[in-house]
């Protein structure tokens, strides 16, 4: 483990295993068929244990939390956003804590997801939308993501990946060619704050962003402004400094913290550390935007 400028350089291997993050074999995490809850997207058929393991390894079966059709939220135009289950981060402000565990999702086949996506091709064409793969952390199930991106790209469907970048090493350079956009969550610019927010190191996110820049994949950086946690002016400035190193950056979005996930945390019996944290005021959001602009980022937006 090397250090550069006081920050540890942590190499995340292509299978997502590091000294800090060592997941169980993927085929042991993707659930067997267990019930309804996906609307028009059906559960995978029953299969033997060996068949299940094989299709998971081949990226033909995934643990899916849910999906939704949204406009101007997870990328341009009207988008089908697919939420995959499983995440190696534990962000204090996560609004989908029910995606932490891969076993809590639904077993769904690649073919069925692709059929669902194709159903909305006409809408995508009219609105300039497409597919966004989110989570959880989608790159926990990289073979499934790789296959779905490739199929959609071949069909001319706009593809977007919403990711922390922590497992960006899981994607090969060839996979990046099937990406039209990446929503890259830079959760903090300061290494210590990043670790406090997520429980993980910042370096893999920066490394993945550098690869996207080299591959010329358009990037929208996202940053959640949390009073008392991520709102230190120096931390905000460091987020902008990270983002400005990428010439492929199209916009930087400041997402104000909200309390809409509090009930989810409580219902799951999880320790929600931000229960008493207020939402940022308009003035606080505007101040954060001004800090970003002072660092040379002009395409700064907030929701």
């Amino acid at each position: 483990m090397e250090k550069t400028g006081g920050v540890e350089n942590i190499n995340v291997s292509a299978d997502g295993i590091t000294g800090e993050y060592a997941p169980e074999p993927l085929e042991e995490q993707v659930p067997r068929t267990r019930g309804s809850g996906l609307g028009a997207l059906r559960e995978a058929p029953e299969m033997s244990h060996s068949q299940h393991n094989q299709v998971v390894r081949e990226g033909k079966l995934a643990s899916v939390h849910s999906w939704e059709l949204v406009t101007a939220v997870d990328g341009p135009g009207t988008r089908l956003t697919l939420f995959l289950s499983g995440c190696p981060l534990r962000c204090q402000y996560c609004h989908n804590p029910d995606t932490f565990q891969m076993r809590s999702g639904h077993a769904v086949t690649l073919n069925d997801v692709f059929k669902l996506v194709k159903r909305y091709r006409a809408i995508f064409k009219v609105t300039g939308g497409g597919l966004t793969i989110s989570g959880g952390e989608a790159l926990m199930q990289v073979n499934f993501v790789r296959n779905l991106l490739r199929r959609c790209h071949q069909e001319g469907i706009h593809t977007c990946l919403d990711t922390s970048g922590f497992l960006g090493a899981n994607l090969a350079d060839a996979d990046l060619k099937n990406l039209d956009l990446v929503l890259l969550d830079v959760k903090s610019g300061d290494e210590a704050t990043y670790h406090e927010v997520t429980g993980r190191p910042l370096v893999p996110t920066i490394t993945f962003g550098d690869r996207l820049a080299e591959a010329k994949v358009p990037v929208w950086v996202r940053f959640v402004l949390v009073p008392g946690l991520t709102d230190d002016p120096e931390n905000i400035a460091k987020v902008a400094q990270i983002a400005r190193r990428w010439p492929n950056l199209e916009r930087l979005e400041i997402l104000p913290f909200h309390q809409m996930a509090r009930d989810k945390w409580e219902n799951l019996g999880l320790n929600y550390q931000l229960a008493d944290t207020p939402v940022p005021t308009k003035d606080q959001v505007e101040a954060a935007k001004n800090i970003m602009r002072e660092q040379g980022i002009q395409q700064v937006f907030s929701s």
Side-chain angles (χ1 to χ4, degrees):
M1 187 178 299
E2 301 176 352
K3 288 191 176 183
T4 302
V7 177
E8 292 177 344
N9 271 335
I10 297 178
N11 295 317
V12 181
S13 65
D15 60 2
I17 298 176
T18 72
E20 292 190 35
Y21 172 60
E24 298 177 54
L26 190 64
E27 59 269 23
E28 299 299 328
Q29 298 186 70
V30 175
R32 305 289 290 274
T33 299
R34 66 172 183 82
S36 59
L38 293 172
L41 193 58
R42 65 179 184 175
E43 290 266 354
E46 292 284 351
M47 61 186 73
S48 69
H49 187 268
S50 61
Q51 289 174 325
H52 172 89
N53 289 353
Q54 180 177 348
V55 293
V56 170
R57 287 193 293 265
E58 293 174 349
K60 297 177 181 177
L61 185 74
S63 176
V64 174
H65 174 270
S66 59
W67 67 275
E68 63 183 4
L69 205 64
V70 295
T71 300
V73 175
D74 297 318
T78 299
R79 312 197 68 79
L80 190 155
T81 301
L82 181 73
F83 298 95
L84 300 184
S85 293
C87 185
L89 278 62
R90 290 296 180 266
C91 299
Q92 292 188 34
Y93 54 71
C94 181
H95 63 278
N96 287 321
D98 45 347
T99 66
F100 282 169
Q101 302 297 330
M102 200 179 297
R103 293 186 183 91
S104 66
H106 304 266
V108 179
T109 68
L110 175 67
N111 286 339
D112 282 344
V113 171
F114 187 52
K115 288 177 183 177
L116 179 67
V117 174
K118 289 197 297 182
R119 180 184 302 178
Y120 296 101
R121 274 191 300 186
I123 295 176
F124 298 155
K125 185 175 182 179
V126 170
T127 66
L131 168 72
T132 296
I133 308 177
S134 186
E137 172 51 68
L139 296 183
M140 286 274 286
Q141 304 185 67
V142 68
N143 287 338
F144 183 89
V145 170
R146 174 181 292 122
N147 291 338
L148 184 56
L149 289 174
R150 182 176 62 250
R151 286 194 182 188
C152 290
H153 191 76
Q154 290 172 345
E155 291 286 332
I157 297 171
H158 185 277
T159 59
C160 175
L161 176 66
D162 182 5
T163 178
S164 69
F166 178 68
L167 297 178
N170 285 3
L171 283 177
D173 290 344
D175 299 321
L176 302 184
K177 297 178 181 179
N178 293 322
L179 277 168
D180 295 306
L181 176 66
V182 171
L183 308 180
L184 187 59
D185 300 321
V186 180
K187 299 173 187 293
S188 283
D190 174 74
E191 174 71 27
T193 304
Y194 192 97
H195 193 275
E196 181 182 1
V197 171
T198 70
R200 300 296 181 189
L202 169 61
V203 172
T205 298
I206 298 175
T207 300
F208 186 53
D210 290 346
R211 288 183 60 211
L212 294 172
E214 185 175 352
K216 299 180 180 179
V217 178
V219 164
W220 294 6
V221 165
R222 286 176 157 183
F223 166 70
V224 179
L225 183 68
V226 185
L229 183 62
T230 67
D231 64 339
D232 184 271
E234 184 176 351
N235 182 54
I236 296 171
K238 286 182 177 179
V239 170
Q241 291 163 13
I242 291 170
R244 75 185 184 192
R245 66 192 275 159
W246 299 323
N248 53 327
L249 178 73
E250 292 190 344
R251 60 190 286 158
L252 194 157
E253 297 182 341
I254 297 177
L255 308 179
F257 168 73
H258 59 71
Q259 287 286 4
M260 289 185 285
R262 186 194 318 218
D263 289 345
K264 288 185 179 181
W265 283 78
E266 293 177 352
N267 292 337
L268 291 167
L270 299 174
N271 179 26
Y272 184 51
Q273 301 180 55
L274 303 180
D276 297 323
T277 300
V279 299
T281 65
K282 291 183 179 180
D283 287 344
Q284 288 174 316
V285 174
E286 193 59 36
K289 291 169 69 174
N290 288 335
I291 292 173
M292 298 286 190
R293 295 187 183 111
E294 289 170 358
Q295 294 297 323
I297 307 293
Q298 299 306 315
Q299 285 79 19
V300 183
F301 302 87
S302 61
S303 57

